[in-house]
Amino acid sequence: MEGGEEIEIAEENEFPSVIGRKYSPVVAHDNDSAVIEMSSVRPGSSSSLPNHDLKNVKVGVHPNMASEERDESLSNHSSNGPQRESKLELFGFDSLVNILGLKSMTGDQIPAPSSPRDGEDITLTLEQPKPTADKSGTLMGVFMPCLQNILGIIYYIRFSWIVGMAGIGESLLLVVFCGSCTFLTTISLSAIASNGAMKGGGPYYLIGRALGPEVGVSIGLCFFLGNAIAGAMYVLGAVETFLNAVPSAGIFRETITRVNGTDIAEPITSPSLHDLQIYGIVVSILLCFVVFGGVKMINRVAPAFLVPVLFSLLCIFVGIFSARHDHPAVGITGLSLESFKNNWGSAYQMTNNAGIPDPNGDIYWNFNALVGLFFPAVTGIMAGSNRSASLKDTQRAIPVGTLAATLTTTSLYLVSVLLFGAVATRDKLLTDRLLSATVAWPFPAIVYVGIILSTLGAALQSLTGAPRLLAAIANDEILPVLNYFKVADGHEPHVATLFTAIICIGCVVIGNLDLVSPTTTMFYLVCYAGVNLSCFLLDLLDAPSWRPRWKFHHWSLSLVGALLCIVTMFLISWAFTIVSLALASLIYYYVSIKGKAGDWGDGFKSAYFQLALRSLRSLGANQVHPKNWYPIPLIFCRPWGKLPENVPCHPKLADFANCMKKKGRGMSIFVSIIDGDYHERAEDAKDACKELSTYIDYKQCEGVAEIVVAPSMSEGFRGIVQTMGLGNLKPNIIVMRYPEIWRRENLTDIPATFVGIINDCIVANKAVVIVKGLDEWPNEYQRQYGTIDLYWIVRDGGLMLLLSQLLLTKDSFEGCKIQVFCIAEEDSDAEGLKADVKKFLYDLRMQAEVIVISMKSWEAEGEQQESVEAFSAARRRVASYLEEMKEQAQRDRTPLMADGKPVFVEEQQVEKFLYTTLKLNLMVQKYSRMASVVLVSLPPPPLNHPATFYMEYMDLLVENIPRLLIVRGYHKDVVTLFT
C-alpha cells in the first residue's frame, strides 16, 4: 500500500481477526513473498488450552468414561472434600455457585467461592453481613414522617380562614381536589415502590429507574431543593407562632396592622423580621444537630413532636363540641345549623396583606388562589419514601404507611371543614387567624404548642429526607459534580446534611419566603407528576418485569393523577410553573451533556422496544416503496490487510458509512468475522463485539456491531448475508474495501473469497458498494471542491444517483458538483439519450450535468502509458494462468478446473473483457482527473470464469484512479419520480 504501509494477510483459513491475534510486521524477501507470523494463543499461555487457575477448575466425570476410570475419578474427587450431590451437575450447575448466584441477583457483590484445600470441608454459609444501621418499620419509618409533614401550620392558622372565604361547599371541593391529586400519586407511588427492592433516594430512585437518569436527576434535584426550602418555611412558621404566642420574647419592636372593613375591629400584630431571622437560625441549627444524630435519633425525637400535635387536635375537637356551653369569644356560636347555612356559600373578596377583608386591599381571593394557599397542607406524602434506604421492607412500608397518612389527613380536613363552618360566624372565620386556638379546650396555649411542634416536626422530616435524596443522586454517579455527597451503605449522609442545612439557614435569613414558597410547591407537584407518569408508562407498557405487589392501580388513574398535578400547577401560578419547569429543563440539559450514561432499564427503553416491534410488524415483509427507502448498509469490517493497533475497523470505513446517511439518520450494521470454532471463540467474539461497539460510538456513527465466528470468511459472510436483520430492516447494501494488495502480497486466496462474496450478494439480492482508495477518503474536516462523477453504464434502480446526492449532504462534499456520464452505442443516440437523462434527473429533483460519450470515441490515442502497460501485464498473466490450468487438466485428465470447480474459458471473450475495462479506465482518467470521487458500475463476475481472471478485470478498471466507488444495485428502485 502507498506510503510504505505494512500489509499482512494470511491464508483464507488464517485471516486476521479483530481480537485474539498477534501480528508481526511483514519482512520483504528477494522473492517478494510475505512472511506471516500469527499466534491465536494469548501471550503468557504455554499451550493451546486456556491458562485457568487450577483452584477454580471443577472436577467432572465424562459420561463415556470407563467404569474403572469413573470410580477412580470419583474417589479422587471425594478425597479433596466431602462428596456432594451430583444431581445438579447433570444440568451443568454447581450447587455452591447456584446459591451465590441467587444472592448476586439482588445487586450485592458476593465474592467468588474458592475451592477448599485438601482435608477442608466445603461450607455453604456466606460471610456474616456487616452490621448496618437500624431499620424502620411502617409506623415509624413512613406513617409518622408523612403525618408530620402533612399536618403543618396551614391547618392551624389558615384553614378556618379558607373555610370562611370559600364557604363550606367549595372548601369541601378544595380538599377533595387537592386530596385527589396526592391520593392518586400515592397509588402510583405504591405500585412502583412494590415492584422490587428499592434503594435510597425515594421518588428520585423510582422516577429515574422508570423515566431514565436524565429525568430522574432533574426532578430529584428539584425535589431536593423543595424539601430544603420547605424546611426553612416550617421553621419560620414555628418561630412566628412562638413570637405571636409570647410577644415578650421578641428582641425588636413588633409591626402592628390595624384591622378595617369588618364588624370585629382589633389590632393584628406580626413579629419583626430580625426576630424571625435570629430565632429561625437557632432553631435550624438545633434541628440539624438532631438530623446529624441519624435515623435512630430521629425516631426517638419524632414522637416527642407528634404526640403533642395529636393531643392539640383532640383539644380542638373537644373545644368545638363544648363551645356552645362556655362561649369562649365573640363570634363563636358553637355547633349551629344556622352558622352552617350562613357559611355554606363562598365570600370571595379583597383583603390586605395580612388576609383581613378590606375593600381597599391589594389581593383578591378566588378558588384558584385558595388552591395555591391550601395545597402545601396536603404535601408531604414523599416523607416516608425519602427514607427508603432506612426502611426494613420498602415494598410494604411505603404503600401502607403513605396511603394511611394520606387518608387520615384528608379525612381530618373534610371533618374540620364541616366543624369550622358550623362553630363560628363568617366574620370570625375571616378575622381570627388562630381560631383553632380560640376554641381549643381547656386553653389556647395547647394549640400554640401543637402549632410549634407540628411545624418543627415537618421541618425535621424535610431536613431528614433532603440529604438522603441528595446522597442517593450522588451515589448513582450520574453527575461528577455531586461526588462530594456520596455516602457508603449504612452510613449517614453528613456532607449532604451540612449542605441542606446551609440552604435552609440561607432561606431563613431571607425571612420572607412569599416568592420562594410557590416554587417549592411547584417542585413538589413536578415530582408528583413524575411519579404518576412513571407508573403510567410502566403500566401501559406492561413489561414482563412489571409485577407490583400493590394491585390497586391502573394506568388511567396514573394519567389522571399526572394531569391533576399539571392543572394544579397552572391554577396556583402559571409564572411559577414556567420557572420551575424551566429549572428542571436546565438540569435535564446539563445532565444530558455532562452526566455519565446509566442503563437502568428505564421505561423509555421498554417503550422504544415496543415501538420497534410494532414498527417492524407494520413494515411487514412487503417491498418497501422507493419513497420510504432508506439505505441500511452492512459495513464489512474484515480487512484486506492490517489495521492499526487496537482499531477493530478501518477508520475511513466508518466515515464512509456516515456518508451514506442523510443528516446522520439511518442505521449501519458493522460486521466482522473471526475464524475458528464457535465453542472455542465465543468469548473472543463477545469481547470483539464490545470493542467494535465502543469504536462505533467513538466515530459517532449510528449503528450496531455484530461479530460472527465461522470456519472461514466465505462461510461466515454467506451466513451473514442470509440471516442478518429482521423483516424489512435487513441490510440492503453491502459495503467493503477493495482488496488492492492481493497481487502485491501474492495472496492467491483473496480472488476466490472476493468473487464469492460478490456472487453471494447477487444471489441474496443485495446492493454492493466497493470502496477503492479508502485510505484517501476525506474526513468531515477535509473539504472537497471537485466533482462527483457517475459513469452510469447499467440500470441500478437509481442507487448510484442517490449515493451521489447523499454525498452532497455531507460537509466534506457540499462544495462539489455532480456529473453524469452516459455511454451511447451510436452517435445518433447521443442527443436523445442526453435529453432523456436530463428530463429524468429533473423529475428526480437532482442537479447534475449530463455528458454523453459514444462508443466510437473510445480511441486508443492519448492513452496513459501506465494503463497500457497494466493492460499488457494483465494479458500475460491471464495467458499464464490459462496455460497452467490446461497443463493441470491434461495431467489430471479432467476439464479445466479453478477454485475447486470446472470452468469454461473463451480466450476471445477474456480479451474483450480486458479491452473493455481498459477503455473504461482510460475514459475515467481522461474526463475525471479532477474529480473528488468517481462512481462506476460494478460488472458482475462472468459465469464459469476463474476468480483470478475477474480480479484482473477489476484491477485494470481501478488502475490509477485514486478514489473510486464501484456500485451495483439490486432489483428494486430506490428513487421515484412521483410525489
Side-chain angles (χ1 to χ4, degrees):
M1 193 169 291
E2 294 85 350
E5 182 181 350
E6 295 178 341
I7 303 299
E8 182 179 2
I9 296 297
E11 298 296 324
E12 181 177 349
N13 59 352
E14 295 179 347
F15 235 83
S17 61
V18 176
I19 193 167
R21 302 283 181 124
K22 180 181 178 182
Y23 302 93
S24 61
V26 176
V27 181
H29 289 264
D30 295 337
N31 56 0
D32 293 333
S33 61
V35 179
I36 304 168
E37 293 181 9
M38 277 192 204
S39 174
S40 61
V41 181
R42 298 184 182 275
S45 60
S46 58
S47 66
S48 60
L49 291 175
N51 187 18
H52 295 297
D53 188 356
L54 295 179
K55 292 191 294 183
N56 293 328
V57 175
K58 177 182 161 185
V59 179
V61 182
H62 197 278
N64 296 328
M65 190 181 298
S67 59
E68 296 81 7
E69 297 174 347
R70 188 183 300 115
D71 294 338
E72 182 180 357
S73 176
L74 289 174
S75 63
N76 291 337
H77 187 197
S78 62
S79 66
N80 292 331
Q83 187 171 353
R84 289 178 294 177
E85 193 69 32
S86 61
K87 292 179 181 179
L88 290 175
E89 294 181 1
L90 175 64
F91 300 96
F93 291 120
D94 185 340
S95 57
L96 176 61
V97 177
N98 193 35
I99 292 174
L100 294 182
L102 294 176
K103 294 291 183 181
S104 64
M105 291 174 64
T106 64
D108 300 331
Q109 297 295 325
I110 304 297
S114 58
S115 298
R117 298 177 182 177
D118 293 341
E120 291 182 350
D121 294 335
I122 298 178
T123 59
L124 299 183
T125 58
L126 301 175
E127 293 181 358
Q128 293 295 329
K130 296 180 180 180
T132 57
D134 292 339
K135 300 289 186 178
S136 304
T138 303
L139 181 63
M140 297 299 300
V142 180
F143 179 76
M144 288 184 60
C146 289
L147 200 62
Q148 282 185 306
N149 252 26
I150 296 173
L151 281 177
I153 193 172
I154 297 294
Y155 176 78
Y156 287 100
I157 68 175
R158 299 308 294 263
F159 194 69
S160 59
W161 183 90
I162 292 174
V163 174
M165 184 65 69
I168 297 174
E170 292 194 20
S171 295
L172 292 174
L173 179 62
L174 177 66
V175 173
V176 170
F177 178 79
C178 296
S180 298
C181 183
T182 54
F183 176 76
L184 293 176
T185 304
T186 303
I187 295 295
S188 301
L189 175 68
S190 302
I192 305 177
S194 63
N195 191 49
M198 181 178 171
K199 296 182 179 179
Y204 155 73
Y205 183 86
L206 301 178
I207 296 172
R209 268 57 180 180
L211 301 182
E214 294 86 0
V215 178
V217 171
S218 58
I219 295 180
L221 288 178
C222 288
F223 193 57
F224 160 74
L225 290 176
N227 275 278
I229 299 173
M233 292 174 55
Y234 294 133
V235 168
L236 287 175
V239 172
E240 183 176 354
T241 304
F242 170 74
L243 292 176
N244 284 330
V246 188
S248 59
I251 303 174
F252 301 90
R253 286 178 53 185
E254 298 174 342
T255 302
I256 299 177
T257 303
R258 290 291 178 182
V259 178
N260 297 314
T262 61
D263 296 336
I264 304 174
E266 55 186 19
I268 302 295
T269 61
S270 59
S272 170
L273 174 63
H274 300 298
D275 287 338
L276 291 175
Q277 293 172 337
I278 294 173
Y279 281 98
I281 293 174
V282 173
V283 172
S284 299
I285 293 175
L286 293 176
L287 290 177
C288 289
F289 275 114
V290 175
V291 176
F292 269 106
V295 176
K296 184 182 296 186
M297 177 68 71
I298 296 170
N299 289 340
R300 290 178 180 175
V301 175
F305 288 99
L306 184 61
V307 172
V309 172
L310 298 178
F311 182 71
S312 68
L313 291 175
L314 178 62
C315 293
I316 292 174
F317 286 114
V318 172
I320 290 176
F321 283 102
S322 62
R324 180 186 298 272
H325 303 289
D326 53 13
H327 297 285
V330 178
I332 302 298
T333 64
L335 293 177
S336 169
L337 183 60
E338 183 179 356
S339 299
F340 186 88
K341 291 179 180 179
N342 293 335
N343 294 329
W344 178 261
S346 62
Y348 297 120
Q349 54 191 296
M350 302 292 294
T351 69
N352 57 20
N353 293 330
I356 306 302
D358 186 353
N360 300 320
D362 299 328
I363 304 174
Y364 179 77
W365 292 91
N366 53 22
F367 185 82
N368 294 356
L370 291 182
V371 170
L373 177 64
F374 175 72
F375 193 83
V378 298
T379 59
I381 59 175
M382 298 294 178
S385 62
N386 285 344
R387 303 165 61 178
S388 55
S390 304
L391 298 177
K392 295 178 182 178
D393 184 3
T394 57
Q395 299 185 48
R396 173 178 173 80
I398 291 178
V400 175
T402 307
L403 193 61
T406 303
L407 293 177
T408 300
T409 52
T410 303
S411 301
L412 173 66
Y413 292 151
L414 291 174
V415 173
S416 298
V417 168
L418 300 176
L419 296 179
F420 282 136
V423 79
T425 62
R426 190 179 297 273
D427 286 341
K428 186 65 173 177
L429 292 174
L430 292 176
T431 55
D432 192 349
R433 301 181 66 179
L434 287 172
L435 180 65
S436 57
T438 303
V439 302
W441 178 89
F443 40 81
I446 295 178
V447 175
Y448 285 110
V449 174
I451 294 173
I452 294 173
L453 293 181
S454 67
T455 50
L456 290 180
L460 179 65
Q461 298 302 331
S462 296
L463 296 177
T464 302
R468 282 160 175 77
L469 179 61
L470 182 60
I473 299 175
N475 285 343
D476 282 333
E477 298 181 347
I478 300 298
L479 280 180
V481 71
L482 300 180
N483 288 341
Y484 300 103
F485 305 110
K486 292 172 61 177
V487 62
D489 292 339
H491 292 75
E492 293 295 327
H494 295 306
V495 179
T497 302
L498 180 61
F499 182 68
T500 305
I502 293 174
I503 296 178
C504 179
I505 293 174
C507 294
V508 168
V509 170
I510 296 175
N512 186 359
L513 295 179
D514 291 339
L515 297 178
V516 182
S517 57
T519 308
T520 304
T521 304
M522 296 301 171
F523 288 156
Y524 281 121
L525 284 168
V526 168
C527 179
Y528 297 166
V531 171
N532 283 298
L533 288 176
S534 300
C535 186
F536 165 73
L537 182 64
L538 294 173
D539 214 352
L540 192 64
L541 295 174
D542 200 15
S545 61
W546 176 245
R547 301 185 304 276
R549 296 179 183 274
W550 183 262
K551 301 300 181 184
F552 303 100
H553 65 91
H554 192 265
W555 63 265
S556 59
L557 296 178
S558 300
L559 181 60
V560 172
L563 293 176
L564 275 178
C565 292
I566 297 173
V567 169
T568 304
M569 292 175 66
F570 282 97
L571 285 178
I572 295 174
S573 172
W574 64 268
F576 282 106
T577 300
I578 294 176
V579 170
S580 58
L581 293 178
L583 179 59
S585 301
L586 288 175
I587 298 175
Y588 178 91
Y589 182 71
Y590 180 77
V591 175
S592 61
I593 295 177
K594 299 292 185 180
K596 296 181 180 179
D599 187 6
W600 295 339
D602 54 84
F604 282 131
K605 298 292 178 61
S606 181
Y608 296 151
F609 183 77
Q610 294 281 358
L611 182 61
L613 290 179
R614 293 187 180 184
S615 301
L616 187 61
R617 287 196 300 267
S618 63
L619 284 176
N622 299 326
Q623 181 174 338
V624 178
H625 194 276
K627 289 192 298 183
N628 302 325
W629 187 88
Y630 282 85
I632 306 178
L634 188 148
I635 313 299
F636 191 43
C637 301
R638 183 68 178 265
W640 307 103
K642 182 181 178 181
L643 289 174
E645 186 177 0
N646 298 326
V647 176
C649 176
H650 196 291
K652 297 300 181 66
L653 204 56
D655 294 335
F656 178 74
N658 278 331
C659 291
M660 301 183 69
K661 303 173 187 175
K662 187 176 183 180
K663 297 181 181 179
R665 291 193 295 264
M667 182 182 69
S668 300
I669 303 176
F670 289 77
V671 172
S672 189
I673 299 173
I674 294 181
D675 294 334
D677 182 77
Y678 176 70
H679 293 255
E680 297 177 357
R681 307 212 61 185
E683 292 300 323
D684 289 345
K686 293 178 183 178
D687 295 339
C689 190
K690 292 179 182 178
E691 184 180 356
L692 185 56
S693 297
T694 303
Y695 188 74
I696 294 172
D697 294 337
Y698 166 74
K699 294 294 291 184
Q700 297 181 349
C701 184
E702 291 187 0
V704 296
E706 294 289 345
I707 303 295
V708 176
V709 180
S712 65
M713 183 192 294
S714 299
E715 294 185 27
F717 185 85
R718 190 165 294 132
I720 289 171
V721 81
Q722 294 181 76
T723 60
M724 193 65 65
L726 293 172
N728 273 323
L729 291 182
K730 290 184 177 180
N732 47 31
I733 302 178
I734 309 300
V735 180
M736 56 183 168
R737 182 184 185 183
Y738 184 76
E740 305 171 43
I741 49 90
W742 75 278
R743 182 182 296 110
R744 188 188 322 154
E745 301 296 338
N746 196 24
L747 301 173
T748 57
D749 287 340
I750 285 185
T753 304
F754 182 73
V755 173
I757 288 176
I758 295 177
N759 284 326
D760 290 342
C761 295
I762 294 174
V763 173
N765 195 26
K766 305 289 186 185
V768 182
V769 176
I770 302 173
V771 187
K772 191 264 181 181
L774 190 62
D775 294 328
E776 289 78 28
W777 191 264
N779 58 33
E780 56 181 334
Y781 305 108
Q782 296 173 329
R783 297 299 181 96
Q784 306 295 308
Y785 298 99
T787 58
I788 300 175
D789 291 353
L790 283 66
Y791 286 83
W792 200 11
I793 300 174
V794 297
R795 183 178 181 275
D796 61 355
L799 178 61
M800 193 182 297
L801 292 171
L802 188 61
L803 285 179
S804 64
Q805 295 295 321
L806 293 176
L807 289 177
L808 285 182
T809 63
K810 299 302 174 183
D811 294 339
S812 53
F813 289 101
E814 63 180 359
C816 298
K817 296 182 179 180
I818 298 177
Q819 295 185 141
V820 179
F821 293 86
C822 301
I823 311 299
E825 295 184 359
E826 302 292 340
D827 291 337
S828 59
D829 298 337
E831 292 301 323
L833 178 61
K834 184 174 183 178
D836 291 342
V837 173
K838 278 188 173 182
K839 178 65 170 58
F840 180 68
L841 294 177
Y842 176 81
D843 292 337
L844 289 177
R845 294 88 62 201
M846 295 182 179
Q847 298 290 333
E849 182 181 356
V850 180
I851 302 173
V852 178
I853 302 175
S854 174
M855 295 283 286
K856 292 184 177 181
S857 65
W858 289 18
E859 302 296 337
E861 58 182 3
E863 293 178 350
Q864 299 292 332
Q865 186 65 28
E866 296 87 351
S867 299
V868 175
E869 293 177 357
F871 173 73
S872 301
R875 291 179 64 185
R876 290 194 298 270
R877 286 192 298 270
V878 166
S880 176
Y881 296 151
L882 187 58
E883 189 64 29
E884 290 179 3
M885 285 190 297
K886 289 180 179 180
E887 293 178 359
Q888 185 68 30
Q890 290 178 357
R891 286 196 301 268
D892 299 340
R893 296 181 180 181
T894 59
L896 290 179
M897 300 287 292
D899 308 322
K901 59 183 179 180
V903 296
F904 176 77
V905 178
E906 207 176 302
E907 296 184 20
Q908 292 181 349
Q909 190 180 33
V910 173
E911 186 79 11
K912 179 182 177 181
F913 287 160
L914 288 173
Y915 185 73
T916 302
T917 52
L918 169 66
K919 289 302 179 180
L920 183 57
N921 174 269
L922 293 174
M923 184 191 308
V924 173
Q925 293 189 61
K926 178 180 179 181
Y927 292 101
S928 303
R929 187 171 303 171
M930 303 301 294
S932 297
V933 60
V934 178
L935 287 79
V936 66
S937 298
L938 171 69
L943 296 176
N944 300 324
H945 277 223
T948 307
F949 285 17
Y950 182 73
M951 291 302 299
E952 292 290 350
Y953 311 151
M954 295 297 297
D955 281 354
L956 198 56
L957 175 63
V958 304
E959 183 73 24
N960 296 324
I961 303 176
R963 197 181 296 156
L964 181 67
L965 299 181
I966 314 171
V967 182
R968 177 177 176 82
Y970 59 117
H971 302 151
K972 292 181 182 178
D973 290 334
V974 299
V975 294
T976 179
L977 305 176
F978 304 101
T979 301

